[in-house]
Amino acid sequence: QVQLVESGGGLVQPGGSLRLSCAASGSIFSINSMGWYRQAPGKQRELVAIITRGGSTNYGDSVKGRFTISRDNAKNTMYLQMNSLKPEDTAVYYCNIVAGVSYWGKGTLVTVSS
């Protein structure tokens, strides 16, 4: 059984920053890619950022230059540093890992509002 636990969401003012974490535990032999996705009310889930085991990254166009994804392979943990947050970043953020199978966390809510 694989578990993903996200943390770090909350309420932040426009222009502010948040750091999300995703800790993976359980029967994980080898994680290939790890990523963050988000889903805003009434919208489809979209890619935020993804990082491979080797450290290659890819970002959604709307977050490029503002968000940074990183991972600690030894701890099976992934992070998302979010800077210059905008109201349109408001969404539930989901952690995803691919380790032979795709696993999803339950999500953490990020609200950007004044």
Side-chain angles (χ1 to χ4, degrees):
Q1 191 76 8
V2 174
Q3 287 188 326
L4 302 180
V5 179
E6 300 111 330
S7 61
L11 174 64
V12 63
Q13 292 187 342
S17 298
L18 280 176
R19 188 190 193 212
L20 304 183
S21 299
C22 172
S25 62
S27 301
I28 304 172
F29 294 100
S30 178
I31 296 177
N32 184 6
S33 64
M34 303 181 77
W36 291 96
Y37 293 75
R38 68 185 183 187
Q39 187 165 19
K43 294 188 177 181
Q44 290 187 333
R45 190 172 296 188
E46 64 174 358
L47 171 71
V48 176
I50 192 167
I51 184 167
T52 67
R53 184 170 185 83
S56 298
T57 59
N58 190 31
Y59 295 89
D61 288 340
S62 62
V63 307
K64 285 180 180 177
R66 300 187 296 123
F67 291 9
T68 302
I69 190 171
S70 61
R71 63 189 282 179
D72 184 332
N73 290 333
K75 297 181 178 179
N76 285 338
T77 301
M78 171 178 64
Y79 307 95
L80 184 69
Q81 179 65 43
M82 304 185 295
N83 299 327
S84 303
L85 283 161
K86 304 175 181 179
E88 51 263 43
D89 294 318
T90 295
V92 177
Y93 284 70
Y94 296 92
C95 170
N96 170 262
I97 68 168
V98 177
V101 190
S102 181
Y103 299 94
W104 291 90
K106 294 183 178 180
T108 184
L109 177 63
V110 172
T111 303
V112 184
S113 175
S114 55

